[in-house]
């Protein structure tokens, strides 16, 4: 995201890991957020984009990083099950 280092200086990186969840390096510690299990998997295409968009929306709405990642995982799970 353009300018993200200016807007989110506390986040060093975010790594989505599919079924293994998400890891976020914030300042000097790693936050692990487990995946939300979809009802069924139809197609995984777009899961990462869905996560990224939902994460950014939640974070811009002043959710903390972990809550934003949980929301991202929920949206990604919904996307792959439809």
């Amino acid at each position: 995201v353009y300018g993200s280092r200016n807007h989110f200086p506390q986040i060093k990186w975010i790594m989505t890991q599919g079924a293994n969840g998400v890891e976020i390096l914030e300042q000097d510690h790693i936050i692990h957020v487990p995946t939300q299990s979809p009802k069924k998997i139809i197609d995984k295409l777009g899961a990462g984009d869905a996560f990224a968009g939902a994460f950014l929306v939640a974070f811009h709405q002043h959710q903390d990083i972990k809550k934003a990642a949980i929301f991202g995982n929920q949206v990604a799970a919904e996307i792959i099950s439809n």
Side-chain angles (χ1 to χ4, degrees), residues 1 8 47 52 64 70 77:
V1 176
F8 313 114
D64 67 35
I70 290 168

Side-chain angles (χ1 to χ4, degrees), residues 1-14 25 52 55-56 59-60 65:
V1 176
Y2 180 76
S4 62
R5 285 195 175 216
N6 294 331
H7 296 296
F8 313 114
Q10 69 273 31
I11 299 174
K12 303 301 181 193
W13 50 255
I14 300 171
L25 178 60
F55 176 88
L56 289 172
F59 200 69
H60 275 286
I65 292 169

Side-chain angles (χ1 to χ4, degrees), residues 19-72:
N20 295 321
V22 178
E23 288 193 344
I24 302 166
L25 178 60
E26 179 187 30
Q27 300 293 347
D28 60 351
H29 65 281
I30 294 176
I31 300 168
H32 178 77
V33 180
T35 301
Q36 302 291 314
S37 298
K39 295 173 187 165
K40 60 182 175 178
I41 297 174
I42 295 179
D43 189 353
K44 294 180 183 179
L45 185 65
D49 291 336
F51 170 85
F55 176 88
L56 289 172
V57 165
F59 200 69
H60 275 286
Q61 292 177 343
H62 306 288
Q63 295 290 324
D64 67 35
I65 292 169
K66 188 168 184 174
K67 286 181 182 177
I70 290 168
F71 181 63

